[in-house]
Amino acid sequence: MKRNQSGLYRHWKKIAAQQQNDFRATSLRSLIFSYIDIKKNVLDLGCGTCDMTLFLFKQKVDVTSIDSSTEMLATGKKILRRNGYPTNKVYKQGLESFSKKYFFHFDQVVCLDVIEHIENDIAAIKYIYKLIKPGGKLLLTVPALSYLYGPKDKDVGHYRRYERQELYKKISDAGFKITKVRYWNLLGILPTFIAVKLFRKRVSENFRYTTSLVKIVLQKLLKMWFLLVENKIEPPIGLTLFVVAKKERKPA
């Protein structure tokens, strides 16, 4: 089951209006897209407010999207329609039931910051495995570093943050062959550590929501850092773990 998603919705509702320019969303899209074959279909699993879906539509990718949140999907569909894209392949659907309908259907599954919201993440990964065609791949991100679990994680409905070996094992045990696992967002560790460990509060992200000149400049500088540095040079540690995995065998 998922935890209450109201905090997550409040967070993304604030970002949604400018999410195509948000430094984190923009940089992560770029990283993920570098591993996508645009000629093959994609499932945007846990699509939320359809940021990645919109980006893939713009790249002329055949994309299907699902999420379990009525509020998030309502916002996402509005954004798609505003940009002139259809919503007929955007579904309110749970992962388990969807995996039964679309068994071995997708060449690629993009799953960005989703499984940490699911209590039984091991079962969720196995359902994802069922959705992917043999030879297909999974592109997945999760929050990293369990010792930094804090107020923001609780507010947005995270059950956990992940350690690298823990995530590696869970995905491998489901039947995937992992071809890459790397950290991302080195820059965010220090402010998160200070907020969580010293002040026991969440890191302020107000600069992502507002449009003052100073905060726009900060967004641009952060975007440059991630696009030019972190997306190209893998940091030794970071707030996010990114995994690329292939479906090559049946789960044990």
Side-chain angles (χ1 to χ4, degrees):
M1 63 176 289
K2 280 192 174 186
R3 282 189 169 172
N4 188 294
Q5 300 293 292
S6 59
L8 181 66
Y9 176 60
R10 288 195 303 271
H11 170 69
W12 276 106
K13 187 177 181 181
K14 292 177 182 178
I15 296 176
Q18 63 260 16
Q19 65 184 343
Q20 288 290 300
N21 294 312
D22 176 72
F23 83 92
R24 187 182 188 277
T26 300
S27 307
L28 193 56
R29 282 198 309 266
S30 177
L31 177 63
I32 299 300
F33 188 66
S34 67
Y35 291 90
I36 287 178
D37 184 341
I38 64 172
K39 296 180 181 179
K40 295 183 178 180
N41 69 24
V42 175
L43 172 66
D44 185 4
L45 197 164
C47 62
T49 53
C50 295
D51 175 62
M52 191 69 190
T53 298
L54 175 58
F55 178 79
L56 292 174
F57 270 135
K58 289 180 177 179
Q59 312 307 315
K60 304 188 186 306
V61 176
D62 176 12
V63 57
T64 300
S65 307
I66 66 167
D67 201 283
S68 61
S69 168
T70 301
E71 295 84 0
M72 298 274 276
L73 284 178
T75 299
K77 287 181 177 181
K78 285 180 183 178
I79 291 170
L80 291 177
R81 285 193 288 264
R82 190 183 307 144
N83 283 272
Y85 292 101
T87 61
N88 61 307
K89 293 177 69 176
V90 179
Y91 304 107
K92 182 181 184 299
Q93 189 79 56
L95 177 56
E96 181 178 1
S97 58
F98 191 78
S99 69
K100 293 175 181 177
K101 291 181 182 178
Y102 292 91
F103 190 74
F104 284 17
H105 186 80
F106 296 98
D107 297 302
Q108 302 163 106
V109 169
V110 173
C111 183
L112 306 183
D113 300 332
V114 173
I115 64 169
E116 66 272 15
H117 295 276
I118 302 173
E119 186 173 14
N120 191 345
D121 58 342
I122 293 174
I125 296 167
K126 290 179 179 178
Y127 292 136
I128 294 171
Y129 184 90
K130 292 178 180 179
L131 287 165
I132 300 174
K133 296 176 184 178
K137 63 185 172 185
L138 167 66
L139 306 173
L140 175 143
T141 63
V142 294
L145 309 178
S146 57
Y147 70 90
L148 290 180
Y149 185 91
K152 179 186 175 181
D153 293 290
K154 293 177 183 178
D155 185 49
V156 300
H158 291 175
Y159 279 95
R160 66 195 76 79
R161 300 183 72 91
Y162 288 84
E163 297 301 327
R164 184 172 182 152
Q165 289 305 313
E166 170 199 8
L167 183 63
Y168 192 103
K169 184 176 189 306
K170 286 180 176 180
I171 294 176
S172 296
D173 286 352
F176 288 102
K177 179 181 179 181
I178 295 176
T179 59
K180 175 176 283 293
V181 55
R182 59 159 291 185
Y183 287 105
W184 187 78
N185 195 359
L186 170 67
L187 209 60
I189 290 180
L190 181 58
T192 301
F193 178 85
I194 292 171
V196 171
K197 295 300 183 181
L198 299 185
F199 297 103
R200 300 189 182 282
K201 64 180 185 179
R202 62 182 295 166
V203 178
S204 174
E205 294 185 298
N206 289 338
F207 71 95
R208 297 178 69 185
Y209 311 145
T210 57
T211 56
S212 71
L213 179 60
V214 172
K215 292 174 180 178
I216 289 172
V217 170
L218 179 57
Q219 282 256 19
K220 288 185 180 297
L221 290 174
L222 286 169
K223 190 185 300 185
M224 288 175 62
W225 165 266
F226 282 97
L227 290 174
L228 300 177
V229 180
E230 293 217 22
N231 281 14
K232 299 182 183 300
I233 302 171
E234 299 181 17
I237 197 166
L239 284 184
T240 292
L241 276 165
F242 169 50
V243 174
V244 181
K246 289 187 175 181
K247 179 175 183 173
E248 292 192 343
R249 60 182 175 85
K250 292 184 178 180

